[in-house]
């Protein structure tokens, strides 16, 4: 769940990234033209672990970095597909009033925390701007996280 992810990052000497930091990383340093973490190519099973209406790469997660062809220019792996990733922010419907310095949005508007990316068992979009939410206590095998410093 979200608390366990945040606690692990703290224990490891880091923190959960803010939503803005996550998207900046997924777009290879914030490049506006990055539709997917790897660029413009439509998703396939070589680029990411996912399932959609037209592509089925399987129903379970894979080891981290199993799809190097889908890495960002900086070499970050699994920014699209495999698991949804918790970020530090509380979920808001839009970005109106969001922190302007890329810090996490710590003022709750709902009872949900934000997740970025997409999970293997979901037909959610793999685009770098995809976002969703869940209650912080919720967890399942298609959720994960990465730590920042």
């Amino acid at each position: 769940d979200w608390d366990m992810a945040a606690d692990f990052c703290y224990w490891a000497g880091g923190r959960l990234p803010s939503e803005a930091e996550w998207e900046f990383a997924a777009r290879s340093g914030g490049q506006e033209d990055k539709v997917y973490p790897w660029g413009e190519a439509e998703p396939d099973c070589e680029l990411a672990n996912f399932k959609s209406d037209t592509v089925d790469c399987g129903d379970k997660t894979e080891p981290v970095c199993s799809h190097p062809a889908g890495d960002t220019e900086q070499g970050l792996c699994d920014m699209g597909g495999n698991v949804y990733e918790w970020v530090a922010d509380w979920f808001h419907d839009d970005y109106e009033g969001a922190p302007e310095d890329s810090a996490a949005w710590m003022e709750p508007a709902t009872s949900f925390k934000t997740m970025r990316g997409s999970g293997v068992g979901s037909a959610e979009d793999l685009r770098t701007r995809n976002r969703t939410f869940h209650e912080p206590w919720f967890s399942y095998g298609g959720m994960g996280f990465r730590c920042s410093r």
Side-chain angles (χ1 to χ4, degrees):
D1 66 18
W2 186 90
D3 287 316
M4 293 167 68
D7 288 348
F8 179 88
C9 287
Y10 178 79
W11 172 84
R15 59 179 171 74
L16 288 173
S18 71
E19 185 174 6
E21 291 170 328
W22 191 98
E23 187 170 322
F24 184 83
R27 292 190 307 163
S28 291
Q31 296 179 26
E32 289 294 325
D33 60 351
K34 292 288 184 183
V35 175
Y36 302 103
W38 53 84
E40 303 304 310
E42 287 295 315
D44 63 29
C45 296
E46 184 179 337
L47 295 167
N49 183 27
F50 72 106
K51 184 175 185 176
S52 72
D53 293 337
T54 58
V55 179
D56 186 349
C57 302
D59 287 327
K60 51 187 173 177
T61 58
E62 294 180 348
V64 173
C65 298
S66 293
H67 298 268
D71 290 359
T72 67
E73 288 179 24
Q74 288 74 26
L76 295 174
C77 58
D78 298 329
M79 297 298 289
N82 214 24
V83 296
Y84 286 98
E85 297 182 17
W86 289 115
V87 294
D89 303 65
W90 285 98
F91 183 79
H92 291 252
D93 287 333
D94 58 40
Y95 296 115
E96 189 173 322
E100 295 181 15
D101 61 358
S102 77
W105 205 334
M106 302 308 287
E107 304 297 324
T110 66
S111 60
F112 302 112
K113 286 290 197 172
T114 304
M115 301 186 82
R116 296 301 301 259
S118 55
V120 67
S122 171
E124 283 287 332
D125 197 341
L126 295 174
R127 296 176 189 269
T128 57
R129 296 178 189 213
N130 189 44
R131 62 196 295 258
T132 191
F133 55 87
H134 262 296
E135 296 88 353
W137 51 261
F138 186 78
S139 68
Y140 75 100
M143 298 171 129
F145 63 96
R146 68 181 69 224
C147 301
S148 298
R149 288 189 189 205

